[in-house]
Amino acid sequence: MAYRASTGRQSFAFADLKELMAKASPLRSGDVLAGLAAASMEERMAARLALADMPLKAFMAEALVPYEEDEVTRLIVDTHDAAAFAPVASLTVGEFRDWLCSDAATSATLAVLAPGLTPEMAAAVSKLMRNQDLILVARKCSVVTRFRNTIGLPGTMAVRLQPNHPTDDAAGILASTVDGLLYGCGDAVIGVNPASDSLPVIGDLLRLLDALRERFEIPTQSCVLTHVTSTISLIEQGAPVDLVFQSVAGTQAANASFGVTLSLLREGLEAGRSLRRGTVGENLMYFETGQGSALSACAHHGVDQQTIEARAYAVCRAFSPLLVNTVVGFIGPEYLYDGKQIVRAGLEDHFCGKLLGLPMGCDICYTNHAEADQDDMDTLLTLLGAAGVNFIMGVPGADDIMLNYQSTSFHDQLYIREVLGLKRAPEFEAWLQRMEITDAGGRLSGGQGGQALLAAMQDKAA
């Protein structure tokens, strides 16, 4: 179906919904690379005008990626909740944007609506929104998940403690972990990206983190971010696996480039649940995504990168995850060229994920060859904090020495907590106070518990 719009001086035609969505997207280098971006601001505005007048229900009639060719499309269509969608089914995309920004869209109504929305609907409305709209609506979306603690409660923000090491050195990982704990990080997860694919090495890392957690009765979860097949094997070998991790994308072909299918993810979920390691809940999947992954795998089907990213959230939603993390600037400037594009993408991803009912976090990051710096990350951190992000990263010095990119540091989360009054997961906050790492107000106190953690690190090094 063709779409047309005029800006007053010139008329524009868009061959189908796929082209309309791409041309309506804010400028980003990935869409330019793919040959999908609007040729001018005038064409972009015409596409937005046409998109604003399009009925939301049109997305149920016109698939951007063919149903017959793609299991993600089949998942989206086959699991769509028509009853949940009914209250907004008569709206256009523009009217939906106005409703979302109104007082009628409360946390309760948005939670009920989430199963009725498709990723394409969320992506479409985001293209009509200013940054402040993305923040306003995402803040109203409350998504709470549980494993050993409770993540996503209003007024809280968790941190993934990321103690990576270029050689998977146990002492180095333990030192970074203890350092992060002493700054009050780690309630989302203590999660290591391993440098090795060796199952014995990954098993040793899992046991290292689990021993530390058990010794100090830390109410959190650990994860070694290896491929889901490796995690399943380790579970079969009796390793202490808390969370099952996998990177995912928005098309079947892109997921195939990661070596995963929906059935394999279900196998991972069932394997993780079989261990029954959660104490306050059963959310145990940890997914990471990022704009540009499908394009980099030549698996985007001519769809713009932000819409394909939103489709990845349909994959995540099917598995009731504990954590979903958009690693927003990690792939590089070929997809998000500079700080402005990274900031916009981070807000879009967070908004779309939350609107679809996901516990969204963000790795607020950039690569060293992007036109971005830590000031841009401070801006995105502050905006996401205001938008109610479920969790962020805590990396020693904000510089990941294994993955070689820049993220947010242990110190950065202290800044945003102070400015916005954000607490940690309540079980973890209580543990920090018992350990005298923080005081009753959540500020660092440097008590005796911290000295015990340091002693544990020194014992391991010895």
Side-chain angles (χ1 to χ4, degrees), residues 303-334:
V303 179
D304 69 272
Q305 69 179 39
Q306 188 254 335
T307 300
I308 286 289
E309 168 71 5
R311 284 170 53 93
Y313 304 151
V315 175
C316 301
R317 184 167 62 175
F319 299 95
S320 303
L322 180 75
L323 308 166
V324 178
N325 178 33
T326 170
V327 192
V328 65
F330 182 74
I331 304 182
E334 299 85 357

Side-chain angles (χ1 to χ4, degrees), residues 408-427:
T408 45
S409 71
F410 303 150
H411 304 76
D412 293 334
Q413 57 90 27
L414 294 177
Y415 145 74
I416 201 64
R417 293 192 193 286
E418 180 69 22
V419 170
L420 298 180
L422 297 172
K423 304 297 184 182
R424 300 170 181 87
E427 300 89 345

Side-chain angles (χ1 to χ4, degrees), residues 422-441:
L422 297 172
K423 304 297 184 182
R424 300 170 181 87
E427 300 89 345
F428 191 77
E429 192 87 80
W431 176 79
L432 290 172
Q433 292 176 19
R434 288 197 303 273
M435 293 291 290
E436 299 181 9
I437 295 171
T438 62
D439 61 22

